[in-house]
Amino acid sequence: MENIIVLGIGNRLMMDDGIGIYLTEELSKQNPTSHVSFLIGESDIDYSLDLIMKATFVIIVDAVYSGKKTGDVTVFPLANLHEYQNLDISAHNFHLFQALYQQKSSIKGYLIGVEPDEVKFHIGLSQTLSEKWITILHDVSKAIDSLIAKYCSSLDLNVPSD
């Protein structure tokens, strides 16, 4: 049986750094499916790594400075994250991605990065990401559905339609 997880990471106390958590929480309400678990890792690296190591396929959702426009959504294969040295991944998540790199041969999955606007002490998203919320949610949901369908088809699995 496949263990597919969508893992929201980040820090709710640091404005847009919490976007991965907020998106994963909302998507778990909209897509309650039996074949995908929507989980929150926040900035707990050990907990997040434990969840990832138990998964057969993982999609991590996080804020990532990649030089694009605020609110843009980019998909990065986890196995190739080391090639993206220019990504400004927050310090608490950098250690997670270093650990994932060491396990890259056994981990199948992707990072969905959302370009943040502001990362500073404050609860809630910046005004810019709040205004783009519906578009970001749609783009991330579409990316997740596509990645899961691609993964399942590579294994000749039917994606349940719950």
Side-chain angles (χ1 to χ4, degrees):
M1 182 53 129
E2 296 302 305
N3 180 18
I4 300 171
I5 67 166
V6 174
L7 179 64
I9 61 175
N11 187 337
R12 299 174 205 261
L13 303 177
M14 297 295 292
M15 287 185 89
D16 293 348
D17 190 51
I19 188 77
I21 298 167
Y22 297 128
L23 287 165
T24 303
E25 287 174 337
E26 184 60 31
L27 290 168
S28 72
K29 295 175 196 169
Q30 294 181 7
N31 302 308
T33 61
S34 60
H35 68 286
V36 179
S37 299
F38 291 85
L39 305 170
I40 306 300
E42 294 196 8
S43 56
D44 187 334
I45 294 166
D46 292 330
Y47 175 71
S48 295
L49 195 54
D50 186 51
L51 292 172
I52 293 166
M53 297 310 290
K54 291 177 183 173
T56 54
F57 185 73
V58 64
I59 298 171
I60 299 171
V61 184
D62 193 13
V64 175
Y65 284 109
S66 61
K68 299 201 175 180
K69 292 186 298 189
T70 300
D72 280 358
V73 174
T74 308
V75 177
F76 304 95
L78 290 179
N80 300 343
L81 270 185
H82 64 284
E83 296 174 9
Y84 302 102
Q85 296 297 327
N86 60 332
L87 294 181
D88 187 7
I89 299 170
S90 60
H92 62 272
N93 295 336
F94 181 70
H95 299 295
L96 174 64
F97 292 113
Q98 279 183 321
L100 290 178
Y101 176 69
Q102 294 170 353
Q103 302 293 325
K104 72 178 185 172
S105 62
S106 62
I107 297 172
K108 291 179 177 54
Y110 293 85
L111 165 65
I112 297 178
V114 178
E115 191 77 27
D117 184 37
E118 294 181 74
V119 176
K120 62 182 182 182
F121 285 111
H122 182 78
I123 296 175
L125 297 174
S126 65
Q127 181 176 347
T128 307
L129 284 193
S130 294
E131 290 170 356
K132 295 182 176 192
W133 173 254
I134 298 298
T135 301
I136 295 167
L137 183 64
H138 175 266
D139 291 350
V140 170
S141 178
K142 189 173 165 184
I144 289 169
D145 291 345
S146 174
L147 292 169
I148 291 172
K150 181 179 169 184
Y151 171 71
C152 289
S153 70
S154 75
L155 301 175
D156 280 337
L157 298 174
N158 291 324
V159 179
S161 59
D162 288 336

